[in-house]
Every structure is written in structure tokens, then in C-alpha cells.
């Protein structure tokens, strides 16, 4: 990725963490550095420079980026996650430590539950810096490994290349597959050679799915109808354990699981429900007060950067780094209980 080596000119309407923390001094101190995979500061910031409405604006090209460009990444990570450069991440994927009875056993509010983690393979560049040959090789190795899974995790790999348009758009509409052409990923170099090397693995029931080579090399997903959060988490942690027997994930004592976007570091987990809250939707102040209290994020029902439809929202954990996976899911569960209680009272 060849770019100018000048300090970017951010317009006043830009409020990304990139423009907040990229001073001229930091830019000058980092602009001539590169990682062993040739990833440079200009590559890391390109998405946020091109997309001035970014919330964050940076991506890492490899694990080393987080350390080589720490003068920029550290304050962004500190701001987003409240996590200091001296802090250590701790993982806990034990479902027995989760206290999450179904918040909606009658099925009046929660349509579906989904928990995903991002993973990348150790000793390889991340998506923004990976070569076409490395990506294609990885697709083969990962899909071969997934095809050996047994029991309820057994499934089939469907490459994006050659997939019919009808099947692809149906999978997206049904919330199973990633979209094409995200401009943030595009500018980060994550869409190079699209659709080659990308695809989706899933079991017959589509309760266990794995995206290959999208924003991260693996997005491991467990989902189902209704609000049995514990069942979804248990399936996910079993799957992660099985995949980890075959693939070594990129991990750091400090930052946890390494992901291309710093918002996903740590657990790389997003635990969400699609939930109908039509009354609360008319009082966004109260709605937001509850989601803030439980560290939750509100998205539309077609994922990030989408709108709600018919009072149905995607509610998920906002914290990912410096908290365990169990805590992420617990945040989501406890917040959803509070949201349902409020909705009932209105
Ligand atoms: P990610 O969760 O991987 O960060 P997105 O926010 O784009 O990415 O969501 C990916 C897809 O997963 C979207 O189609 C979204 O609607 C779907 N999704 C997220 N949460 C749920 C849920 N609880 N139930 C059903 N689909 C969901
Ligand atoms: N780069 C985008 C998105 C950041 C968070 N989301 C994801 C999918 N990683 C931004 O800075 O707004």
C-alpha cells in the first residue's frame, strides 16, 4: 500500500480516536518504522484517514503493529477499553462460571442469541498485510481443519468464490454471512482479492458457523433462536477448544487474542441478542442509561452501521479487553434482564 508520508489533515467534523491521538509528534516518530511484514503507520491509519466518520480509524497489520506503533495504539486502546499499557488480559471460557438463566423463557422479547469471537493464526500477518498466497493457503488449512469436526459441530465449508448470488444474499439476510464491500475494511486493505480466500463453514442447523478471512482470519460463531445464552456460550467454548487443538491462535499476555481492529482485542468476543423493545425505543434516554450501566452497545439488526427495524435491536457487550469472556456474556445477560424489566414496566 503506497501512500503519502505527510501528516493527515483531519477536518473539524472528524471525531475518530485516530484524529484524537495522532499528533504531529507521534506521526513523525512513527512514520519511518515498519514491522517485519512491511506494515507501516500509513497502512495502519489509512482507513481512518479515508473514512473521516470512523469511530476508531486504525487497523493492525500484524501482532507486532500493536507494539511498533504503540505510541498511537496505546492511547486508542486506553480510551476505548480503559486498559493501560501495563495491564494484563485474563481469559476465562468456562461456562460453569456463567450465571445466565434465560432472561425470556416465554420468548416474548428475545428473537435470537449470537456469540462470536475473532481469532487469527499465530506467526502470520493479519488480514490488512497478508499476501494473496498466504490467504489462500490459510483458507485451505482452516477449512480442512474445520471439516474434521465431529458431532453437532460437523459441517461443510462454502467458499465465497463461486457462491450463487441468491445463496449469498439469503445467508446475509438471515444474519449468517458477512456483507461485501465494507468501506472501512476496504480502506484497511482487508478486501484485497475479494472474494478469493473467503468463505463460511457451518453445521446443518446453522447454530455453529465460522467465517474465514473476513476482518479476522476466523470468526467463530454460535447462534440460535431464543434467549438460552448459556447454551450458546457452551457450544461456542466447545468449538473454540476443538479448533484450538488444530490451529495455534495469535495471543499476547498483554492484549489477549490479537485482532486486526483494536476494538476486538482481548476476548475478541461480541455476545448479542436480537431483542424487541418497542416501548423503550420511544425513550432513548432511558434505553441508553441502562445500556451504559451494563456496558452494552446498541446496534441495528443488520449489524454494525445498520438501523433498528420495528423496535428490534442488537444488544451486545461493549467491553472486550481486560475482562474475561464469562464477564462479557454476564454483562450482556444482566443488561438484557434489566432492559426486559424496564420494557415490561412501560
Ligand atoms: P460482528 O458481530 O461479527 O462484529 P456484525 O455486527 O456486522 O458483525 O454482525 C454480523 C451479523 O450477525 C449481522 O447479520 C447481524 O445481524 C448478525 N447478528 C448479530 N447478532 C445477532 C443475533 N443476536 N441474532 C441474530 N443475528 C445476529
Ligand atoms: N474502523 C471502523 C469500525 C471499527 C469497529 N468495528 C469493527 C467492525 N471492527 C471505525 O473506526 O468506525
Amino acid at each position: 500500500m503506497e501512500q503519502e508520508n505527510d501528516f493527515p489533515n483531519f477536518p473539524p467534523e472528524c471525531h475518530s480516536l485516530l484524529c484524537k491521538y495522532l499528533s504531529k509528534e507521534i506521526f513523525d516518530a512513527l512514520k519511518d518504522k515498519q514491522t517485519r511484514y512491511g506494515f507501516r503507520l500509513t497502512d495502519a491509519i489509512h482507513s481512518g484517514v479515508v473514512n473521516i466518520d470512523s469511530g476508531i480509524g486504525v487497523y493492525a497489520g500484524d501482532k507486532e503493529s500493536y507494539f511498533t506503533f504503540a505510541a498511537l495504539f496505546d492511547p486508542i486502546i486506553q480510551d476505548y477499553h480503559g486498559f493501560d499499557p501495563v495491564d494484563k488480559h485474563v481469559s476465562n471460557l468456562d461456562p460453569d462460571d456463567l450465571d445466565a438463566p434465560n432472561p425470556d423463557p416465554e420468548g416474548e422479547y428475545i428473537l435470537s442469541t449470537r456469540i462470536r469471537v475473532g481469532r487469527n493464526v499465530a506467526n502470520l500477518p493479519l488480514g490488512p498485510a497478508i499476501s494473496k498466497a498466504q490467504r489462500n493457503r490459510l483458507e485451505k488449512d482452516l477449512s480442512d481443519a474445520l471439516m474434521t469436526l465431529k458431532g453437532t459441530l460437523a459441517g461443510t465449508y462454502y467458499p465465497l468464490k463461486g457462491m450463487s448470488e441468491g445463496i449469498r444474499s439469503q445467508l446475509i439476510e438471515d444474519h449468517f454471512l458477512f456483507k461485501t464491500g465494507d468501506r472501512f475494511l476496504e480502506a484497511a486493505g482487508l478486501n484485497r482479492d475479494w472474494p478469493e480466500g473467503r468463505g463460511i463453514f457451518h453445521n446443518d442447523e446453522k447454530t455453529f458457523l465460522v467465517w474465514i478471512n473476513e476482518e479476522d482470519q476466523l470468526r467463530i460463531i454460535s447462534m440460535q433462536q431464543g434467549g438460552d445464552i448459556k447454551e450458546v456460550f457452551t457450544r461456542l467454548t466447545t468449538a473454540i477448544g476443538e479448533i484450538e487443538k488444530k490451529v495455534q491462535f495469535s495471543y499476547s499476555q498483554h492484549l489477549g487474542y490479537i485482532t486486526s481492529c483494536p476494538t476486538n482485542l482481548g476476548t475478541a468476543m461480541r455476545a448479542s441478542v436480537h431483542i424487541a423493545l418497542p416501548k423503550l425505543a420511544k425513550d432513548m434516554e432511558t434505553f441508553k442509561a441502562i445500556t451504559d450501566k451494563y456496558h452494552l452497545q446498541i446496534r441495528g439488526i443488520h449489524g454494525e452501521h445498520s438501523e433498528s427495524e420495528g423496535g428490534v435491536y442488537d444488544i451486545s457487550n461493549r467491553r472486550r479487553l481486560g475482562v474475561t469472556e464469562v464477564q462479557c456474556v454476564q454483562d450482556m445477560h444482566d443488561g438484557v434482564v434489566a432492559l426486559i424489566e424496564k420494557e415490561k414496566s412501560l
Side-chain angles (χ1 to χ4, degrees):
M1 272 176 268
E2 281 306 313
Q3 289 152 39
E4 286 178 41
N5 219 10
D6 295 333
F7 183 65
N9 213 342
F10 294 106
E13 64 271 25
C14 182
H15 299 296
S16 66
L17 295 183
L18 168 64
C19 92
K20 185 170 172 185
Y21 293 109
L22 186 69
S23 63
K24 174 89 172 72
E25 292 66 39
I26 290 183
F27 182 84
D28 286 338
L30 300 181
K31 72 180 164 50
D32 297 322
K33 296 192 175 190
Q34 58 175 301
T35 67
R36 89 189 64 168
Y37 294 115
F39 200 72
R40 299 163 56 93
L41 178 70
T42 44
D43 300 321
I45 67 176
H46 190 244
S47 190
V49 171
V50 173
N51 297 294
I52 56 156
D53 57 341
S54 292
I56 317 298
V58 290
Y59 289 87
D62 44 30
K63 181 174 174 180
E64 202 184 320
S65 300
Y66 285 109
F67 302 96
T68 305
F69 308 117
L72 175 62
F73 276 108
D74 278 354
I76 289 177
I77 290 167
Q78 153 66 242
D79 191 310
Y80 187 86
H81 294 281
F83 190 78
D84 290 329
V86 292
D87 288 342
K88 283 203 166 30
H89 179 74
V90 180
S91 174
N92 178 7
L93 283 154
D94 186 348
D96 288 343
D97 293 337
L98 181 68
D99 178 18
N102 188 341
D104 179 31
E106 310 298 323
E108 288 173 53
Y109 303 93
I110 301 178
L111 280 68
S112 52
T113 303
R114 173 183 184 265
I115 311 181
R116 62 84 166 154
V117 292
R119 291 288 186 268
N120 290 279
V121 178
N123 307 315
L124 267 182
L126 298 165
I130 203 166
S131 72
K132 183 176 176 179
Q134 284 171 319
R135 191 192 305 107
N136 287 348
R137 176 82 224 174
L138 194 56
E139 178 195 33
K140 167 121 187 45
D141 292 347
L142 292 174
S143 54
D144 284 352
L146 290 168
M147 301 279 262
T148 65
L149 294 176
K150 301 272 183 295
T152 55
L153 301 180
T156 309
Y157 178 65
Y158 304 89
L160 208 55
K161 195 178 168 190
M163 187 182 282
S164 81
E165 187 45 34
I167 290 183
R168 194 187 67 85
S169 39
Q170 193 62 53
L171 282 170
I172 294 173
E173 184 58 28
D174 294 342
H175 307 288
F176 296 124
L177 182 62
F178 46 85
K179 298 175 203 161
T180 298
D182 181 285
R183 65 191 159 91
F184 301 93
L185 301 188
E186 176 69 34
L190 273 154
N191 291 350
R192 286 170 301 127
D193 312 308
W194 193 277
E196 230 182 294
R198 282 81 176 187
I200 182 171
F201 170 94
H202 63 76
N203 63 0
D204 281 348
E205 300 78 35
K206 299 201 186 85
T207 53
F208 166 58
L209 308 96
V210 183
W211 297 353
I212 293 188
N213 288 326
E214 197 243 7
E215 180 175 316
D216 290 302
Q217 290 159 357
L218 292 147
R219 283 286 171 96
I220 307 171
I221 302 161
S222 168
M223 63 195 286
Q224 68 192 45
Q225 301 297 306
D228 194 337
I229 298 170
K230 189 151 181 163
E231 187 168 285
V232 174
F233 185 63
T234 304
R235 183 189 305 112
L236 179 76
T237 55
T238 306
I240 294 171
E242 288 303 313
I243 298 171
E244 210 161 17
K245 287 180 192 162
K246 301 160 199 290
V247 182
Q248 193 195 343
F249 299 138
S250 184
Y251 190 83
S252 144
Q253 293 295 324
H254 170 45
L255 295 173
Y257 290 99
I258 299 296
T259 52
S260 62
C261 178
T263 62
N264 280 318
L265 288 166
T267 59
M269 174 171 279
R270 197 168 84 86
S272 66
V273 288
H274 277 181
I275 181 168
L277 300 167
K279 292 181 184 150
L280 255 181
K282 295 200 183 94
D283 179 2
M284 283 316 277
E285 206 178 313
T286 306
F287 195 163
K288 288 216 168 85
I290 299 173
T291 53
D292 284 349
K293 180 174 172 198
Y294 291 92
H295 313 283
L296 301 181
Q297 191 178 55
I298 308 173
R299 293 187 179 183
I301 64 154
H302 293 289
E304 196 174 27
H305 310 121
S306 74
E307 297 297 320
S308 158
E309 283 171 19
V312 178
Y313 291 86
D314 171 331
I315 303 294
S316 62
N317 60 297
R318 188 176 182 281
R319 304 194 290 181
R320 297 190 229 291
L321 175 62
V323 288
T324 65
E325 289 81 355
V326 167
Q327 189 63 51
C328 291
V329 182
Q330 197 67 55
D331 280 354
M332 191 272 274
H333 171 271
D334 297 351
V336 165
V337 169
L339 286 168
I340 292 177
E341 199 174 281
K342 192 72 198 171
E343 179 74 12
K344 277 184 180 162
S345 76
L346 292 174

